[in-house]
Amino acid sequence: MIEKSKLHTNCQRAVVVMSGSFVQRGEPAIFDKWTRAKCALQNGADMVLELPVLFATAQAETFARGSIKVLQDANMIDALCFGSESGDLASMQEAAKVMINETEEFQRLLKQHLDDGISYPAARAKALETVSHISSEILSRPNHILGLEYLKALDHYNSTIQPFTIQRKGVQHDDPSLKGEYASASAIRKAIFSENTSEAFLHLLENTRDLLTKEISLGTAPASMEHLTAALHYKLRTTSAEDLQEIFEVTEGLENRILRAVENGYFAEDLIDFIKSKRYTRTKIQRILIHILLDIRTKEVTYFLRRTHLPYIRVLGFQKEHAEILGDLTEQAKCPILTNLKKAPEVLDEDGLHLLALEKLATDLQALAAPNPLYRVPNKDFTMPMAIL
């Protein structure tokens, strides 16, 4: 992906924006963010920036806007590359244009489909296919959904960053089997959790295997949501329905169903199975449970998206050989750059300290999800150095 991106854009350097301790599928990252940053740096990334957990655990629109906001505030990015099933940027741009200029007819159809009980992505795809000649295939495939939101976000921020898309090869993103040249990330994660790492690692880059094997042997990985079950129950049992209404993505009485779930199951899987429905997908429910754990509220997400600039940009790592990229970022960015969190109180405003505290909580919880209790330590944000290769 990184090689193709550099080739398509004719750029010499690649900056990766990466989710930190929790990811968009609504789970803790199975390897910590420093390990994953090292993997990226070993394979073509020149610098890795952290996507704040506020955005990383959100639905596609907020995830994309947060990502573009990081790139905009970095103020040194020329091009954006993302994967897609088709690799057809022109068709995606056409679809994004329709989505940006929603008509009354579209809004009516969307409401109608939602009232029929189908999920928002499916309802939107059906409505857009009706009001335009664009195939629902473009509007409903997972990478397309996120790619369209990147294009919308670039338009929203009047960005000069040029978009490019790389066609996805191999199986679909959620294919459960390890087969072909490119297995899905879902299949690789499933194999790692099943202790079938030898086969899983055949689908990963060879230069990452020793690093990942070490983390698994220590028991820092794979982090699992099941290890956070007790923490999740504590939050659910001490949060009122009124407070749940304020949690990001909790809508239309879903808070009552969430609280009933606590009485009908204990493990995270049981809770998800009880709450999910035709309209509310498994991934959406997983994200909501993470929002509850981290106390991420709708007004908080809205506030940080509306800020002119982010309170800070966090650097997770960079290539020592190309260290000038960190100097360029520090000089050109529209907000403070964090490399050493111990200095944060000196450079951050109140919003920045609030966002950083949320990030620390997310990192502490991700550590709590580690298989080996000896490595469930807090404060890793302050003790782990940047990844410098």
Side-chain angles (χ1 to χ4, degrees), residues 2 5-7 9-16 44-47 76-79 319-326 328:
I2 294 172
S5 297
K6 287 182 175 179
L7 186 65
T9 61
N10 198 31
C11 288
Q12 300 303 308
R13 300 283 178 263
V15 174
V16 171
D46 295 285
M47 184 161 62
M76 55 183 283
I77 306 299
D78 304 300
Q319 286 272 11
K320 190 190 302 182
E321 187 181 351
H322 303 138
E324 76 281 353
I325 197 170
L326 181 60
D328 291 344

Side-chain angles (χ1 to χ4, degrees), residues 28-318:
I30 69 170
F31 292 95
D32 71 46
K33 54 194 176 187
W34 296 278
T35 299
R36 285 154 42 235
K38 286 175 185 174
C39 289
L41 293 169
Q42 284 174 339
N43 290 283
D46 295 285
M47 184 161 62
V48 180
L49 306 178
E50 182 173 29
L51 178 63
V53 69
L54 205 64
F55 310 129
T57 57
Q59 25 73 310
E61 182 177 41
T62 300
F63 182 99
R65 284 199 181 183
S67 302
I68 299 303
K69 210 167 176 61
V70 171
L71 297 177
Q72 281 283 98
D73 283 351
N75 200 30
M76 55 183 283
I77 306 299
D78 304 300
L80 164 72
C81 268
F82 56 87
S84 66
E85 285 84 359
S86 68
D88 184 354
L89 182 64
S91 294
M92 294 183 71
Q93 287 175 315
E94 185 181 358
K97 196 176 294 183
V98 174
M99 293 165 71
I100 291 165
N101 301 298
E102 292 181 355
T103 63
E104 288 184 14
E105 173 69 358
F106 165 79
Q107 291 172 353
R108 183 188 67 77
L109 287 167
L110 177 63
K111 183 179 184 304
Q112 179 183 312
H113 295 319
L114 288 172
D115 289 344
D116 290 339
I118 63 176
S119 67
Y120 180 83
R124 185 178 65 175
K126 287 185 72 172
L128 280 167
E129 188 173 39
T130 303
V131 301
S132 70
H133 64 279
I134 299 166
S135 166
S136 61
E137 183 89 352
I138 281 277
L139 306 166
S140 57
R141 302 291 288 278
N143 290 278
H144 282 155
I145 289 171
L146 192 51
L148 289 167
E149 294 299 344
Y150 287 137
L151 296 174
K152 285 173 58 185
L154 289 172
D155 178 85
H156 177 78
Y157 292 118
N158 296 313
S159 178
T160 58
I161 296 172
Q162 293 299 304
F164 294 83
T165 188
I166 309 295
Q167 185 172 15
R168 182 188 179 93
K169 287 186 175 182
V171 299
Q172 296 303 309
H173 91 291
D174 56 355
D175 191 302
S177 62
L178 289 172
K179 61 183 182 183
E181 186 181 359
Y182 298 102
S184 71
S186 300
I188 294 170
R189 284 193 300 271
K190 181 182 176 183
I192 290 173
F193 277 115
S194 302
E195 299 184 1
N196 185 15
T197 53
S198 57
E199 190 177 355
F201 282 8
L202 293 176
H203 296 269
L204 298 177
L205 290 158
E206 192 172 349
N207 65 5
T208 66
R209 293 173 193 169
D210 287 347
L211 178 61
L212 300 181
T213 299
K214 179 184 176 183
E215 296 304 316
I216 291 172
S217 63
L218 287 172
T220 67
S224 167
M225 189 65 187
E226 290 303 332
H227 290 128
L228 297 179
T229 298
L232 181 58
H233 270 270
Y234 171 77
K235 287 293 290 187
L236 289 171
R237 297 180 189 194
T238 56
T239 305
S240 67
E242 290 73 24
D243 280 339
L244 280 182
Q245 286 176 339
E246 296 183 14
I247 297 294
F248 187 47
E249 293 194 68
V250 173
T251 56
E252 300 168 332
L254 196 57
E255 68 277 2
N256 298 314
R257 191 172 179 86
I258 292 169
L259 291 178
R260 285 201 304 275
V262 179
E263 302 169 8
N264 287 273
Y266 177 73
F267 294 104
E269 284 294 313
D270 301 329
L271 299 176
I272 294 164
D273 285 339
F274 183 89
I275 302 167
K276 69 182 176 69
S277 64
K278 187 177 179 182
R279 180 163 181 177
Y280 299 109
T281 63
R282 178 185 193 81
T283 304
K284 181 180 177 71
I285 299 307
Q286 288 180 174
R287 286 200 307 266
I288 287 172
L289 293 180
I290 297 303
H291 297 158
I292 293 169
L293 259 179
L294 296 172
D295 198 30
I296 296 176
R297 300 181 180 239
T298 304
K299 62 182 181 183
E300 187 178 23
V301 177
T302 303
Y303 173 77
F304 280 101
L305 278 179
R306 287 179 176 171
R307 266 187 61 127
T308 305
H309 300 297
L310 290 171
Y312 64 83
I313 291 175
R314 171 97 178 267
V315 180
L316 291 177
F318 64 95

